[in-house]
């Protein structure tokens, strides 16, 4: 016997649940609106608390759906990016300009090649490094440095 999927429009599901028909056999009959409001409120508090704890903007935490382990990495990468060696590399590579795209096939403050940026997971932030925020470029450069040392940067 072959199983098939049935597509049901979202409006139909919401309409059924607001009539109380979807709660047959369940202990509570909370409406989707109530559940959504509670979930959004809890997420907002969490993002605000995380922003304060890790020193990363709430906007970035929400936009990129950053997990705690990623926030810890970003926190470490921020400290790493402040060291004199890293500042020197950034200055040599891009004159410390995070939004640089000179047309030479390398992008951002650390002059990532597009393939390297994709390979280390940078596309979760943006397609190209120069379009990603500063914290994202620092995070991806830190990941690259952790796996390959200073080799990727001729200025190091």
């Amino acid at each position: 016997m072959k199983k098939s999927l049935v597509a049901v429009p979202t409006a139909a599901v919401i309409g059924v649940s607001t009539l109380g028909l979807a709660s047959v056999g369940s202990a509570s009959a909370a409406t989707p609106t109530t559940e959504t409001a509670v979930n959004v409120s809890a997420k907002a508090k969490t993002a605000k608390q995380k922003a304060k704890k890790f020193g990363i903007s709430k906007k970035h935490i929400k936009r990129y759906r950053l997990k705690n382990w990623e926030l810890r990495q970003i926190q470490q990468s921020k400290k790493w990016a402040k060291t004199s060696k890293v500042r020197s590399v950034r200055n040599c590579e891009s004159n410390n300009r995070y939004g640089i795209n000179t047309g030479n096939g390398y992008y951002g403050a650390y002059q990532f090649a597009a393939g390297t940026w994709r390979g280390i997971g940078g596309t979760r932030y943006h397609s190209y490094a120069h379009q990603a925020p500063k914290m994202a470029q620092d995070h991806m450069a830190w990941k690259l440095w952790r796996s390959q040392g200073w080799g990727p940067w001729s200025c190091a």
Side-chain angles (χ1 to χ4, degrees), residues 64 94 97-102 104-141 144 153:
Y64 303 116
S94 67
R97 297 184 316 193
Y98 282 84
I100 192 168
N101 175 7
T102 58
N104 64 356
Y106 297 94
Y107 308 92
Y110 298 94
Q111 292 293 279
F112 288 101
T116 303
W117 181 252
R118 282 190 302 272
I120 58 173
T123 54
R124 79 174 321 265
Y125 296 111
H126 218 290
S127 301
Y128 293 95
H130 72 288
Q131 298 167 329
K134 178 180 175 178
M135 70 90 186
Q137 290 185 46
D138 290 342
H139 182 210
M140 293 298 107
L144 185 62
W153 296 283

Side-chain angles (χ1 to χ4, degrees), residues 2-143:
K2 193 174 189 178
K3 293 183 180 181
S4 62
L5 297 174
V6 177
V8 179
T10 305
V13 174
I14 292 172
V16 169
S17 65
T18 57
L19 294 173
L21 299 175
S23 62
V24 175
S26 67
S28 68
T31 63
T33 310
T34 306
E35 291 173 11
T36 305
V38 171
N39 290 340
V40 168
S41 175
K43 286 180 182 178
K45 283 183 181 178
T46 304
K48 186 176 182 179
Q49 290 168 346
K50 287 180 180 181
K52 187 174 182 178
K53 180 179 179 180
F54 294 104
I56 299 162
S57 78
K58 184 171 74 170
K59 176 182 84 172
H60 288 140
I61 292 171
K62 286 182 170 183
R63 177 179 290 159
Y64 303 116
R65 296 184 181 107
L66 297 169
K67 309 286 186 237
N68 283 340
W69 64 271
E70 292 170 309
L71 292 168
R72 282 189 292 276
Q73 283 186 355
I74 292 168
Q75 193 176 35
Q76 290 176 335
S77 70
K78 284 175 69 174
K79 289 178 186 174
W80 173 81
K82 291 178 183 177
T83 64
S84 61
K85 177 107 176 185
V86 177
R87 284 194 320 264
S88 174
V89 167
R90 249 191 345 256
N91 194 44
C92 174
E93 293 286 347
S94 67
N95 204 16
N96 206 33
R97 297 184 316 193
Y98 282 84
I100 192 168
N101 175 7
T102 58
N104 64 356
Y106 297 94
Y107 308 92
Y110 298 94
Q111 292 293 279
F112 288 101
T116 303
W117 181 252
R118 282 190 302 272
I120 58 173
T123 54
R124 79 174 321 265
Y125 296 111
H126 218 290
S127 301
Y128 293 95
H130 72 288
Q131 298 167 329
K134 178 180 175 178
M135 70 90 186
Q137 290 185 46
D138 290 342
H139 182 210
M140 293 298 107
W142 176 80
K143 283 179 66 173

